[in-house]
Amino acid sequence: MPNVMLRNNAAGQLVLYITKKDHEETVVALEHSGPGAWGGEMQLSDGSRFYLEPLEQTPKLPLTVRVKRL
Amino acid sequence: MTMNRQETEQLIQEVLEVYPEATGKQRAKHLMANDPTLEKSNKCIVANKKALPGVMTARGCAYAGAKGVVWGPVKDVVNISHGPVGCGQFSRAGRRNYITGHSGVNVFGDMNFTSDFQEKDVVFGGDKKLAKLISEIDTLFPLAKGVTVQSECPIGLIGDDIEAVAKKSAREIGKAVVPVRCEGFRGVSQSLGHHVANDSLRDWVLHNRDEDNSFESTPYDVAITGDYNIGGDAWSSRVLMEEIGLRVIAQWSGDGSIPEMESTRHAKLNLLHCYRSMNYISRHLEEKYGIPYMEYNFFGPTKIAESLRKIASFFDDTIKENAERVIARHQPVMDAIIAKYRPRLEGKRVMLFVGGLRPRHVIGAYEDLGMEIIGAGYEFAHNDDYDRTFKEVQDGALIYDDATSFELESFVERLKPDLIGSGIKEKYVFHKMGIPFRQMHSWDYSGPYHGYDGFAIFARDMDMTINNPCWKNLQAPWKRGGTEALESAAA
Ligand code: SF4
């Protein structure tokens, strides 16, 4: 369950940053992107996948959350 | 000679042959030929990994990253090097972070404070000593705005509870007391020290004035982060921000102070120079206070103009116009500098091996002078730094991560660069090899190199080093042979 920070980069893409590893990767697919639910399964550009317990609303980024590695 | 990718790969193979097989395999992952089209580095280079036993690495320790780099330049805190005396004394003032004020009265950056651990402290613990030390500091230096406890190796080993002491002492003296868990054995390089120090700033300093709204902010407030004012760098950057109409309310951490850091939350934009050492706190500032951060580069007129425009784009039209005016005002001076030095430096080939930012940041400045980067590498960069590097370096150039002294020397022997930019540990080796060298950590006792003012000094220094007549006199005249020997004998 790593702590990650989600933010939008200058190009407007959603980026996942793994704090412990200093590793930044763009999110290429997000299961729920609102309205009503935001999160779920995330696919990163390097092929790895993470799961974020869906939030009720689209959050204000950046945001630090706990995710599950899939 | 510029090498293509294949030739570079071959050079790497040849140099690696000397190693035992396992070591060679490991090291191969840290070396590559540059491919500017790459977006992501994690497939082609391994970074931020422990140096192998038996090789000579140029890296430092977490304490060096926390105390030396991030906390050291904060002028109004007393940084206690908690542990034996050596770590602090041998690193004292080595980075040349300039500060204003009266040393020992209201600024303390060039002094060495230590708890001077002895055998009995290791055996019985040093917490009591630390508490006493902090109250002594408060008596002797009443103008200090805070105290930090930078733990050295033994503190982590004996398990002292510096956090508890810090909390108690902070109540006692009514100032920030910051425990920094930067024992040298943590992590693989000084890079972890940057992270630890950033976290300590976040947890113990940043929010201290969140309730105090007496600070009058303007829409043009910015903070400069990741500039350590080496030789005055932050000052030559700051004047440019001010010239385009912005107000710099905090400098992290070169010539910076605790009150500045505490009021950083009022900034509208966070200007990040050294990404490697301060991206952590920048990310936090963005998340907690909604201050966006922007990476900029103030080395060389091309990059400065680019950065000024990018900075201005965050603000209204007056700032944008100011930026254009400032660029136009400095351009003729820059053109004159380039006209003077470029003919003397054109085509010279440079190899760089510095910390975690400069190998990619200074390239623009070298290119403005017509020089060429044939090799670049970092001591302690992470993969996100390499992601940002590939675009800046030419195709086929040699990239080396945490190069060992053997590798660096072999590469230099083969590539024969005209200039090497690296640290003090490398300097004299290459001087003895007869190759011009600049110490690019603390600007070789020169500087500043940031900003327009800095570029003038940068250009002069590079010329002074490369075209120094001493390089021709490395060989004794009678060994040179030919007519030259006779002439100098006759003279
Ligand atoms: S490794 Fe430990 S003992 Fe050595 S300088 Fe760093 S903190 Fe001090």
Side-chain angles (χ1 to χ4, degrees):
Chain A
M1 296 268 282
N3 254 335
V4 302
M5 185 185 271
L6 295 166
R7 67 185 290 263
N8 286 319
N9 65 10
Q13 294 161 305
L14 185 64
V15 181
L16 181 137
Y17 170 75
I18 307 172
T19 320
K20 255 263 166 59
K21 295 201 159 154
D22 263 318
H23 183 64
E24 216 173 25
E25 205 70 58
T26 44
V27 178
V28 286
L30 180 69
E31 195 182 350
H32 309 288
S33 51
W38 197 91
E41 211 179 295
M42 282 184 270
Q43 170 101 32
L44 305 191
S45 52
D46 65 346
S48 58
R49 291 179 311 134
F50 289 89
Y51 179 78
L52 167 69
E53 200 54 54
L55 308 167
E56 275 168 27
Q57 272 162 20
T58 309
K60 196 174 144 280
L61 298 179
L63 179 74
T64 301
V65 285
R66 285 198 136 222
V67 292
K68 241 207 315 264
R69 197 185 289 276
L70 294 178
Chain B
M1 137 204 90
T2 308
M3 299 207 297
N4 63 26
R5 248 179 266 165
Q6 263 148 6
E7 288 166 331
T8 306
E9 291 291 357
Q10 203 186 339
L11 168 66
I12 293 173
Q13 287 315 320
E14 282 164 26
V15 168
L16 288 177
E17 255 163 35
V18 178
Y19 285 127
E21 204 189 316
T23 313
K25 246 198 198 144
Q26 288 301 318
R27 287 302 308 158
K29 297 180 191 157
H30 294 263
L31 307 167
M32 64 178 282
N34 187 47
D35 175 359
T37 57
L38 287 171
E39 284 287 328
K40 280 279 161 200
S41 64
N42 44 0
K43 293 265 171 347
C44 40
I45 197 160
V46 168
N48 198 30
K49 280 276 173 316
K50 200 168 152 20
L52 295 168
V55 303
M56 280 261 275
T57 163
R59 284 175 165 176
C61 68
Y63 163 84
K67 192 262 178 184
V69 175
V70 176
W71 273 106
V74 185
K75 59 184 170 185
D76 59 355
V77 297
V78 170
N79 293 310
I80 303 172
S81 297
H82 189 36
V85 66
C87 313
Q89 180 56 22
F90 291 115
S91 62
R92 185 180 70 90
R95 267 173 67 83
R96 301 175 58 251
N97 314 103
Y98 285 4
I99 47 178
T100 49
H102 296 281
S103 185
V105 179
N106 57 358
V107 300
F108 310 94
D110 51 359
M111 297 169 80
N112 179 26
F113 297 87
T114 175
S115 48
D116 187 19
F117 256 44
Q118 305 294 318
E119 223 171 302
K120 79 172 195 310
D121 301 312
V122 173
V123 176
F124 297 109
D127 284 347
K128 282 212 187 81
K129 193 176 194 179
L130 180 63
K132 188 161 165 244
L133 185 71
I134 296 173
S135 66
E136 245 172 55
I137 286 173
D138 191 46
T139 322
L140 288 172
F141 306 103
L143 295 183
K145 294 276 163 46
V147 178
T148 72
V149 183
Q150 312 278 343
S151 18
E152 295 164 8
C153 287
I155 309 306
L157 295 174
I158 63 175
D160 270 9
D161 191 356
I162 57 167
E163 285 82 3
V165 178
K167 273 192 198 131
K168 200 157 157 268
S169 301
R171 273 197 299 275
E172 218 176 275
I173 66 172
K175 291 174 188 169
V177 179
V178 185
V180 190
R181 279 281 175 194
C182 56
E183 287 88 352
F185 56 76
R186 287 182 203 277
V188 300
S189 65
Q190 51 268 63
S191 184
L192 187 78
H194 306 144
H195 199 154
V196 171
N198 275 232
D199 288 354
S200 71
L201 280 159
R202 175 194 71 195
D203 296 339
W204 298 80
V205 178
L206 198 61
H207 50 80
N208 285 354
R209 280 197 198 196
D210 278 4
E211 268 74 64
D212 173 5
N213 278 319
S214 55
F215 186 89
E216 281 174 34
S217 64
T218 71
Y220 302 118
D221 289 354
V222 293
I224 295 182
T225 41
D227 193 322
Y228 301 105
N229 206 24
I230 291 162
D233 278 345
W235 295 330
S236 62
S237 307
R238 184 188 177 118
V239 289
L240 292 179
M241 311 296 180
E242 283 166 357
E243 231 184 307
I244 66 170
L246 301 175
R247 185 170 79 151
V248 179
I249 60 166
Q251 281 174 219
W252 293 63
S253 56
D255 196 34
S257 63
I258 292 276
E260 280 177 35
M261 291 180 157
E262 288 168 346
S263 42
T264 304
R265 69 186 170 97
H266 298 285
K268 299 294 172 297
L269 179 64
N270 175 13
L271 302 170
L272 177 59
H273 205 260
C274 179
Y275 171 85
R276 178 71 274 129
S277 59
M278 282 216 171
N279 77 77
Y280 318 100
I281 197 78
S282 304
R283 288 173 195 276
H284 177 74
L285 282 166
E286 186 177 33
E287 179 172 15
K288 187 162 182 202
Y289 301 109
I291 307 167
Y293 68 87
M294 191 209 106
E295 291 168 52
Y296 71 109
N297 178 355
F298 265 9
F299 288 105
T302 314
K303 291 287 173 190
I304 298 173
E306 219 171 81
S307 298
L308 282 176
R309 291 200 176 103
K310 208 164 134 206
I311 293 167
S313 71
F314 282 80
F315 297 92
D316 56 25
D317 286 345
T318 35
I319 303 289
K320 285 181 200 144
E321 279 156 30
N322 286 349
E324 291 304 327
R325 229 195 351 262
V326 169
I327 295 167
R329 192 171 80 78
H330 287 278
Q331 202 54 49
V333 185
M334 292 299 114
D335 290 343
I337 290 167
I338 291 172
K340 179 171 173 195
Y341 291 108
R342 191 164 175 141
R344 300 168 60 87
L345 296 171
E346 183 91 56
K348 298 284 183 201
R349 297 148 67 251
V350 188
M351 277 175 77
L352 298 166
F353 182 56
V354 207
L357 171 93
R358 286 176 184 157
R360 67 170 178 275
H361 256 46
V362 295
I363 292 173
Y366 280 113
E367 287 178 348
D368 283 335
L369 292 169
M371 297 161 83
E372 186 191 348
I373 307 295
I374 55 166
Y378 300 101
E379 272 173 36
F380 54 77
H382 298 206
N383 277 103
D384 43 356
D385 295 300
Y386 286 100
D387 294 345
R388 291 162 167 79
T389 306
F390 296 149
K391 290 188 274 308
E392 309 282 341
V393 188
Q394 65 177 356
D395 195 18
L398 187 59
I399 305 263
Y400 29 91
D401 175 70
D402 184 24
T404 67
S405 64
F406 163 73
E407 287 161 19
L408 203 59
E409 283 159 36
S410 320
F411 290 146
V412 167
E413 269 167 17
R414 294 285 300 272
L415 293 174
K416 302 207 170 18
D418 299 299
L419 177 73
I420 300 169
S422 189
I424 194 74
K425 300 186 227 54
E426 292 79 32
K427 179 171 174 170
Y428 298 100
V429 176
F430 292 121
H431 271 180
K432 286 174 189 167
M433 285 166 74
I435 299 172
F437 185 99
R438 286 301 298 185
Q439 210 263 79
M440 293 299 278
H441 287 272
S442 67
W443 307 144
D444 238 341
Y445 318 103
S446 178
Y449 283 176
H450 291 182
Y452 287 118
D453 296 338
F455 181 70
I457 299 165
F458 175 84
R460 181 206 63 189
D461 284 356
M462 295 309 140
D463 175 43
M464 190 168 81
T465 306
I466 292 180
N467 296 315
N468 196 309
C470 74
W471 306 117
K472 290 197 204 81
N473 293 323
L474 282 175
Q475 211 179 15
W478 58 89
K479 284 192 179 158
R480 272 186 220 140
T483 52
E484 206 190 329
L486 293 176
E487 271 163 31
S488 54

